[in-house]
Amino acid sequence: KRKLTATALTLKVGKTAYVHLQHSKKPVRYYSTAPYIASVSPFGKITGRRTGGAQLHVNGPTPCYRCKVTVVK
């Protein structure tokens, strides 16, 4: 069954974490609802940029998966 490695994350400003879709061999697309708070690379590397909250969306061959990201000081 496909699922994200995390559905909620808390990061400090300047720190990074990775999220990916398990059991998916097809390419997926990562994007953040607030890239100025938490940016995400094409490979799922999330970087906390400033305090606040954002949602990470992962689109692939299946429905959209979401991960809530909170960035703290």
Side-chain angles (χ1 to χ4, degrees):
K1 183 175 179 179
R2 292 185 183 115
K3 65 178 184 175
L4 283 179
T5 53
T7 56
L9 286 173
T10 301
L11 290 175
K12 290 188 176 188
V13 174
K15 299 297 181 181
T16 60
Y18 283 89
V19 170
H20 68 276
L21 187 60
Q22 295 177 328
H23 308 293
S24 177
K25 296 180 182 179
K26 296 186 179 183
V28 294
R29 182 174 175 259
Y30 299 90
Y31 68 94
S32 174
T33 58
Y36 53 91
I37 293 175
S39 62
V40 63
S41 76
F43 304 104
K45 181 180 178 182
I46 305 165
T47 305
R49 299 179 63 129
R50 67 170 73 160
T51 58
Q55 232 184 29
L56 174 71
H57 291 243
V58 181
N59 288 337
T62 57
C64 180
Y65 293 89
R66 292 176 181 86
C67 175
K68 182 180 178 183
V69 180
T70 305
V71 182
V72 296
K73 281 192 172 184

